[in-house]
Amino acid sequence: MTAHTPIATKPMLQRARGLLNISARQSSGGVSRLKNLRQQGSYRTIFPRSSSGNVEAVIINTAGGVTGGDQFSTTAVAHTGASLSITTQAAERIYRAPDIAKGSMKTKLSVHENAQMFWVPQETILFEGARLERRLDVDLHAGAKFLMVEPLIFGREASGETLRSGSLDDRVSIKLDAQPLYLDRIKLDGDIDEQLGRTALANGARAVANIVLVDPNAASFLDKVRAKLSSSAGASLLNDKTLVVRILAADSFALRTATLPILTLLTDDGVPKNWRL
């Protein structure tokens, strides 16, 4: 009797993969230049011309978004004295996962002595049924400057979308000279919309942004930042060189309206052009 290979009951789905390694160095005259670049799979980078002497990188996800089982990885280094700014071409969209597999986005950033890095991606939008695990690990030299923003949008309210199922496991870790400086984690699972409605969690807000500035002059920005914040946002100092801002907003438009003036202030009007389009 001839044996037959059983027919697969579930088709194998194609998964997106993306890898980006980028580094900047300081050249003669104090101008920053691209040192190394490796891009693979669904990640590509473009470099708009900069008049400020820094390297500006714009990440493009050619897969058009992230879904369950996709894996994306970014590593960036600002070597001694270099200035590197990294953003994304558009908002990153996290689509419904077809099974229990999560999409994965991992980022490792290193900022060396007297170097500066802006990590300022545009919004990450979670759709109904999205499943995402995201990690951001940052290593800073004591003499480095660093700014990050991580804006999250929970569903497209204008389209009447609510997140009744899905999961988000999002962690940010910043170390200064190998010592823990900042650790933040958001972990939501199940009916995300119901959880966001809780007073102690988001009080009904559908958008949130976390901003961290590590800079010897961070304390000088505190009062200026607070003057620009609404009643659903706050700013405080972890120490004299670390400023933390958290913003809650009703939707993506309100979040960007609240976030952009803060970034403009903290970057001395150096926000990437993508943020203004």
Side-chain angles (χ1 to χ4, degrees):
M1 187 174 181
T2 304
H4 296 281
T5 303
I7 298 173
T9 58
K10 191 174 183 179
M12 295 294 292
L13 300 176
Q14 185 176 4
R15 305 300 190 182
R17 300 287 185 267
L19 181 144
L20 172 65
N21 290 341
I22 182 173
S23 66
R25 63 177 178 83
Q26 186 184 58
S27 65
S28 58
V31 177
S32 296
R33 305 290 186 190
L34 186 65
K35 184 175 190 290
N36 293 305
L37 173 64
R38 178 188 176 192
Q39 46 192 5
Q40 179 178 315
S42 297
Y43 261 172
R44 292 292 182 268
T45 315
I46 59 174
F47 299 91
R49 183 173 297 176
S50 174
S51 59
S52 57
N54 72 316
V55 175
E56 183 175 316
V58 180
I59 300 173
I60 301 172
N61 179 0
T62 60
V66 180
T67 187
D70 292 350
Q71 296 179 9
F72 292 89
S73 173
T74 301
T75 301
V77 180
H79 290 280
T80 301
S83 180
L84 175 62
S85 175
I86 306 173
T87 186
T88 54
Q89 182 190 35
E92 187 63 271
R93 292 163 171 80
I94 314 301
Y95 295 115
R96 176 190 293 272
D99 50 37
I100 63 173
K102 297 179 179 180
S104 173
M105 301 184 73
K106 296 182 178 180
T107 303
K108 293 185 177 181
L109 308 176
S110 298
V111 192
H112 295 186
E113 185 177 7
N114 296 324
Q116 173 181 283
M117 184 182 293
F118 294 161
W119 172 255
V120 286
Q122 297 191 68
E123 298 86 350
T124 295
I125 305 174
L126 276 75
F127 287 65
E128 166 66 6
R131 302 178 65 84
L132 175 65
E133 181 178 80
R134 190 170 67 168
R135 298 289 183 263
L136 173 59
D137 294 298
V138 185
D139 290 306
L140 305 177
H141 185 278
K145 295 181 181 181
F146 176 70
L147 172 68
M148 63 147 266
V149 61
E150 285 288 0
L152 273 169
I153 311 298
F154 297 94
R156 300 163 300 167
E157 189 175 32
S159 300
E161 185 176 42
T162 55
L163 302 188
R164 296 301 181 185
S165 66
S167 69
L168 171 66
D169 187 350
D170 188 22
R171 189 192 70 190
V172 177
S173 173
I174 301 176
K175 293 182 179 180
L176 187 67
D177 277 350
Q179 297 300 310
L181 174 66
Y182 175 87
L183 181 63
D184 184 69
R185 191 171 190 181
I186 300 174
K187 193 169 185 179
L188 301 170
D189 189 63
D191 190 337
I192 294 177
D193 194 66
E194 184 276 331
Q195 294 171 61
L196 293 175
R198 298 174 188 174
T199 303
L201 188 59
N203 198 29
R206 301 287 297 277
V208 59
N210 292 331
I211 301 172
V212 180
L213 173 69
V214 182
D215 187 310
N217 298 316
S220 67
F221 289 105
L222 180 61
D223 291 338
K224 297 174 184 178
V225 168
R226 284 178 170 172
K228 296 180 180 293
L229 297 179
S230 68
S231 59
S232 61
S236 60
L237 291 169
L238 291 184
N239 52 51
D240 59 0
K241 63 182 299 183
T242 308
L243 173 67
V244 177
V245 183
R246 179 160 292 179
I247 302 171
L248 293 174
D251 54 33
S252 59
F253 178 79
L255 184 67
R256 179 164 288 222
T257 300
T259 303
L260 187 55
I262 305 300
L263 296 182
T264 301
L265 172 66
L266 299 181
T267 62
D268 190 24
D269 201 24
V271 182
K273 295 181 179 66
N274 302 54
W275 270 85
R276 303 184 185 277
L277 298 178

